Structures are given as structure tokens and as C-alpha cells.
Amino acid sequence: MHKELCQTLFFLLSLSLASSTAHASNPLPPDAFSQLPQAESMAISPDGKFLAYFLNLDDATLLVMLDVEKRESYGLVKSDNVRFKFNWLRWVNPEKLVFSLYFPDARGLGVETMETRLLSIGPGDKEAKTLFKPSRDTRAKYKHISQFQDDVISTLPAEPDTILMGYDIDNPTYPAVYSVDVNTGRKSKVRRSKFPVRDWIADRQGRVRAGIGFDADEALRSIWVLDLDTERWNKLWEYRYFTQPDVTPLGFGIDPNTLYVRADHKGRQAIFTIDTRQETREMTLVVSDPDYDIEGELIYSPKTNDAVGVAHGEAENSRIYWSQQYQDFQRKIDKALPDTNNTLVSFSDDEQHYVVYASSATSPGVYYYGNRQAGTLESVIHQYPGLLNEPLARATKVSYKARDGLEIEAYLTLPTDFDGKPVAAVILPHGGPMVREYGGFDYWTQFFANRGYAVLQPNFRGSSGYGHEFEMQAVGQYGMAMQDDLTDGTHWLVEEGIADPKRICMVGASYGGYAALLAAAKTPDLYQCAVSFAGVSDLLQQRNKSRHYVNKEVAFDQYGRDNKQLQANSPIKLVEKITIPILLVHGENDRIVDVEQSRDMAEELQDHDKLFEYIELEDGTHYLDNQQHRTVLFKAMDRFLAQYLGK
């Protein structure tokens, strides 16, 4: 893109930030919430001179570089968010960064996939360089083309133009490690593939030192570490998926014999170190949370090259630092920005320049650029300009007891004008199901609250974050006690005098969409409507589709092997019991939950003369990463909920 055009876009964007809400009324238009966040994946260059990020504008996304001194922005690469979509970016050196693209594809025999590719580009480059692209003379040599081509294992500290990458071109699904020049794409193998390793980890010196193995036939997970003295690969742990708490290697410290791992501590996942030279596998506790799993990745200092903390969603500012210097600096940032949770997301190599992301449940998010030498902290871009200066609802952590006495945490968001009298409500179960909700800004929740609905987001059993035993209650239990937890949460909301029992709808995406459809079939008297985006309707079909993929045994364990139980808990088999209106929305190119799940459900609903609406998003994916698709969904939900819950 021409520099002048991108500068014009940047200027117009700045104007929109200043004036977008001058005449806003309540309720706000749906696209104030459905807009893609304006900036994603912001990172500062190693020398602190540039900020790189993805800028979402209407139906396109730009990879942008901002010269922080000149205050000029450059659009380098454009995506239409249909054929290709940006995934992530990472600086390699001051002159070059790499970025990942993902896109839906098919690999023959009806096997649909999501593919990734890695490219490099710099501030002065006219076009991006694809870092792995077999030429005509190498296609015969490489019979297998890697599905995932963005596996960066290390940015080598001693070789600033080189990265380590995993490619499975020699042995499908078992990657070898290659050294790749980010300027030319030239590569050389540095570590051959090793069964059963699927993922490699390098130490801070750039040596391949650990591997995470997966034996697909036996559903076995294993952890391997290279002993530097003997050059032997030692297997530290091995177990079948779901049978015990996971042990996950996170990365090495500056000491190459120190490996950080996440493992069980008193029923919760915590961070430990182990000395890789010891055969006892004795672990030393670094940090834990007595109430929650620590699920995030390690945080490294670019200045010391050592681990200084870990990401943790339940921690203040979503970070736990064991570095005193980082703790002190975080306190200074919090003093400067006292009303938000402030996450340090990127530093220059000398740590004098940095990026902060500031947000809260009622603040949609702002990126700031900081200069420690100058003592300045300046806002760069707001995520949701349509919500600036608008009153947003606050999410509150609550808990209720399920019918068997189990404590269920949830987030409750009330309309800003809630006066204590029952209102229409939305039950919003998360996807996964083995993930969880947090209490930060959520554009779905704020949209519903702005319409006057109370919103309950339960972390039902099977959610991650509450220990192995709690999470394993999702395995083979779809539609069972997990669904009861949602029903019990709805009853709690009514008993507390928050929800009007005649004005409740369940809305969900992915697993949440499945839960909404099942609620319509199993508890139709409790709800007035249901909304499913990309939801599963046929558990047996969804499970059996996994036969085409390497994780089929794990998928069969997760969904369950009792076919009768799967059919008994599949909404498509229970259509005759549905008595409430249904809204189905699904993306045509969904690679997580096939679009046939909603197509078949719509056909069954039609055959049984049920009240429903089906919207299919052309070229849509599972992630609502196209602006038009988000707008269509939110307008449809707005109309549907108003019709059946009332305003």
C-alpha cells in the first residue's frame, strides 16, 4: 500500500476516535459492538523505533508499521479477511518481522483443514517473503506439504537474521527443525524428526532442547529433554490424555539446565522449575494460585533473556512477575493508569520503549506507547471507538450451587440502569468446552447489557482453570451435568430476582451453541428462545469426523464412546421436543464445527414445522474474523432477541 494512502487512513482514524460518540444514543447500534477491534497483536521493534500491528478497517485488515519518532504509519500488507487472514506477528530483528496467515483448505478425500503460512517483511520492503515455498525442483523431494508452516521455535540470539522452525516435510506430523533465513527463505536442517515429538522447544541459547510427544494410536502424551552432557534424549513423563493432570514444558531459563513446567500443585496447575541434569525429576515451586490454574505462557525479559513472570488471567493485570524490577515497573504503570488493568505486552531490547494494553470490564481497551527515557506514555489507538465515553456494564464474579452441591463460578453483567426489578436475561455459555470465561471486556456481553438484558456467563463443570478433576467432568459428558449447571444457573438468576422467568434466552457459540440448542430441546419451558452460532447439533457425527485427523483417539475419549448417549444428547435427535424459536448462524468454511451441523439442524427443524431462522455466512469461519459476518450476526441477534424477549 502506498505510504500516502495509509497516512490518510491513519489521519481519518484519529478523527473518528475524537468524534465517534458525540451524538450516540442508547441503545447503541449493533456495529458499535460487532466491529473488529481496531488493532491486534501490537509489538515494538527491538530498537524501539517501530510499532507493528494489524489494523482492522471495514472489510480489510492491514499489517501496519508506525514510526514512533516521525508519527508516520505504513501499510505493508493487506488481507481481505476472506481468502487469507492474519494470525500473529513477531519481530526477528530491527529490520524484519515475521507474520502468520491462516486460511481454510482441503487435503483431498473430503478432509478439510485450516492451514498456516509464515512470511517476513521489513519497514523498507515492497512485498512480503514467503518463508517456505517448495520450488518446482523440490516438490518431488518433499512429497508432503506441511499444513502448519508458522511454527517458530526460536529467534536465534546469535544470528539476528535467522529463526528456528518446525516443518514436517520429511515425516508427516513429526516435524524436523530447520534454520531459516528471514531475508531469503533459505533453510537447513538442524534437528531431524523424532517419534513421537510433535512440538519442539529451544533453550535461550537457541538449541533444540525439549519436545512434546503425541502417540496418536495410543493417545499418549510424553515430555522429552536433551541432556547437554550426554546428548541423550530423556523421557521425563508419559501418560494417556485425560488420565492425570497435564505436565507442560513452558520454556527454559537463562540457565540452560533450568526448565519451567506447568504441573499440578494441590489440585491446581502451578509453575515449577526442574534441573534437567537430575534423573529424579524433582520440581521446585515457583508460583501458584490456591484457587485457579495458572494457564498462561512464560514472560521473558528481552534485556536479560531470562523468564521474569507468567501470564495468569486471574491475576491483577493478568500477569504474575517474580522479577522485582518488573514488579516495580508495573506499579509505576498502574499509578499512571489507575482505572484499568494494564498489561505490559512488548518491550524493546533495552526495555526503554514498551507497549501497554489498558482495559477493564467497562473499558474496551487502549494501546499505549511508552518511552522510559523521556518519561512519556501516549495512547496509540482505541479498540472500539464506537464505545468511547459510553457507559458500559460491569461484570461481577458470582457463584451458585449446582443441584449436586458443586460450586459453580460465573460472571454476572447487569444493565447500567438495573433497578433491582427482574429483567430479560441471556444465559451465555462459553465454547470449548474445556476453556473458561474471565471478567474482562467482552463485546458480546456488553452488547446484550446495552440492550437491557442481564447476562450470566457460567464456568460450568468441564471448564478449565479450576483443576484437573473439575475439567475432566467434560470428558464423555456432553449434555449431562454440564448442561444441568446451565439450567441451575438459570434457576438461580430467577430466584435472585434478577431474571424475568418469562424472558430468558440461551445464546452461545461453538460448544455454547450446542448447549443453547440442547436447552431448547431439554428445558424448553425455561427459555423463550435459543441462539446458536457455529453450534454442534449431532455429537456422533462431530465425533466421527475426527477419524480423518491425527487426534482421533483423543477426540473419541473427549466426546465419549457411548453412541447411544451421544445420540440421546444430540439436539438434532430431539427436534420434536423443541417448542421455542431458534436462530442458527454458521460460517460456510468453518473448520472446527462443520457447517453441515447447522444445515442438517435447519432441515430437521423445517421437517418438524418448528419456528426457526437459519443464516449461512458465505466464506465464514469459526472465529467471526470477517467484519461483515460479525455485523450480520449481531443485527440478527438484536432483532431476534427483541422479538422474543421484548425490549
Side-chain angles (χ1 to χ4, degrees), residues 43-52 65 89-98 123 155 160 302-303 346-354:
I44 197 165
S45 61
D47 58 8
K49 294 182 178 180
F50 289 94
L51 298 178
M65 286 191 186
L89 61 83
R90 181 176 179 180
W91 286 94
V92 177
N93 60 52
E95 302 299 327
K96 198 75 67 175
L97 61 78
V98 293
T155 53
K303 187 174 183 179
S346 183
F347 279 94
S348 60
D349 280 353
D350 62 6
E351 297 188 349
Q352 294 302 304
H353 308 267
Y354 59 95

Side-chain angles (χ1 to χ4, degrees), residues 478 514 536-548 555-556 559-573 597 600:
Y478 283 47
Y514 159 76
V536 174
S537 65
D538 189 333
L539 291 174
L540 191 61
Q541 183 187 70
Q542 179 73 5
R543 187 204 66 183
N544 289 344
K545 182 184 176 183
S546 65
R547 294 181 187 276
H548 301 296
F556 268 63
Y559 282 98
R561 298 177 185 269
D562 186 333
N563 291 352
K564 290 184 179 180
Q565 179 177 305
L566 291 175
Q567 289 181 319
N569 289 310
S570 290
I572 201 166
K573 304 297 184 182
Q597 292 282 337
D600 292 347

Side-chain angles (χ1 to χ4, degrees), residues 10 17 42 51 66 71 337 356 366-370 376-382:
F10 193 76
L17 293 178
M42 186 174 291
L51 298 178
L66 170 64
R71 296 297 191 271
L337 302 170
V356 173
V366 183
Y367 278 107
Y368 289 87
Y369 162 72
T376 56
L377 185 62
E378 306 170 73
S379 63
V380 178
I381 192 167
H382 291 259

Side-chain angles (χ1 to χ4, degrees), residues 160-416:
D161 292 329
T162 307
I163 58 177
L164 291 183
M165 297 198 63
Y167 290 121
D168 65 344
I169 50 179
D170 298 322
N171 191 2
T173 74
Y174 299 105
V177 180
Y178 292 81
S179 172
V180 181
D181 188 304
V182 296
N183 299 305
T184 65
R186 293 175 182 170
K187 61 184 179 301
S188 61
K189 188 185 298 184
V190 298
R191 174 71 62 181
R192 65 183 182 181
S193 62
K194 172 183 172 60
F195 178 84
V197 173
R198 307 280 182 142
D199 295 287
W200 296 101
I201 300 174
D203 62 21
R204 304 310 291 172
Q205 290 73 34
R207 297 168 296 199
V208 181
R209 291 289 312 289
I212 302 176
F214 174 52
D215 182 337
D217 293 334
E218 302 296 330
L220 290 176
R221 175 182 170 91
S222 54
I223 310 301
W224 302 76
V225 172
L226 177 67
D227 188 301
L228 290 174
D229 296 328
T230 65
E231 286 293 317
R232 292 179 54 187
W233 284 95
N234 298 318
K235 183 165 60 177
L236 300 185
W237 293 279
E238 184 179 60
Y239 54 92
R240 186 178 175 90
Y241 271 88
F242 306 138
T243 61
Q244 69 179 61
D246 281 341
V247 179
T248 304
L250 299 178
F252 288 84
I254 191 65
D255 178 347
N257 296 306
T258 298
L259 176 66
Y260 287 86
V261 300
R262 180 168 44 240
D264 184 75
H265 175 68
K266 298 181 179 180
R268 297 292 184 269
Q269 291 273 293
I271 307 301
F272 298 84
T273 58
I274 66 169
D275 188 330
T276 59
R277 296 167 296 187
Q278 295 181 356
E279 296 182 1
T280 61
R281 292 178 291 179
E282 181 179 352
M283 297 190 293
T284 301
L285 181 65
V286 178
V287 65
S288 65
D289 186 323
D291 300 314
Y292 303 98
D293 294 331
I294 297 178
E295 300 182 289
E297 300 300 317
L298 290 179
I299 302 166
Y300 284 95
S301 163
K303 187 174 183 179
T304 67
N305 201 28
D306 203 2
V308 294
V310 65
H312 180 38
E314 286 289 346
E316 187 176 1
N317 302 308
S318 302
R319 298 287 191 271
I320 298 176
Y321 293 115
W322 47 79
S323 163
Q324 187 62 49
Q325 290 183 337
Y326 269 70
Q327 291 176 14
D328 293 342
F329 186 58
Q330 181 71 63
R331 280 193 287 269
K332 292 180 180 179
I333 296 297
D334 292 342
K335 185 177 181 180
L337 302 170
D339 299 323
T340 51
N341 295 317
N342 310 305
T343 303
L344 295 162
V345 298
S346 183
F347 279 94
S348 60
D349 280 353
D350 62 6
E351 297 188 349
Q352 294 302 304
H353 308 267
Y354 59 95
V355 174
V356 173
Y357 185 69
S359 67
S360 70
T362 58
S363 176
V366 183
Y367 278 107
Y368 289 87
Y369 162 72
N371 185 326
R372 297 173 80 171
Q373 292 175 328
T376 56
L377 185 62
E378 306 170 73
S379 63
V380 178
I381 192 167
H382 291 259
Q383 293 292 64
Y384 292 87
L387 300 180
L388 280 175
N389 305 317
E390 294 294 338
L392 298 179
R394 183 174 300 278
T396 303
K397 186 184 294 184
V398 298
S399 64
Y400 61 89
K401 285 190 182 296
R403 63 192 64 185
D404 61 357
L406 185 65
E407 198 80 14
I408 303 297
E409 276 195 351
Y411 287 94
L412 174 63
T413 304
L414 299 175
T416 56

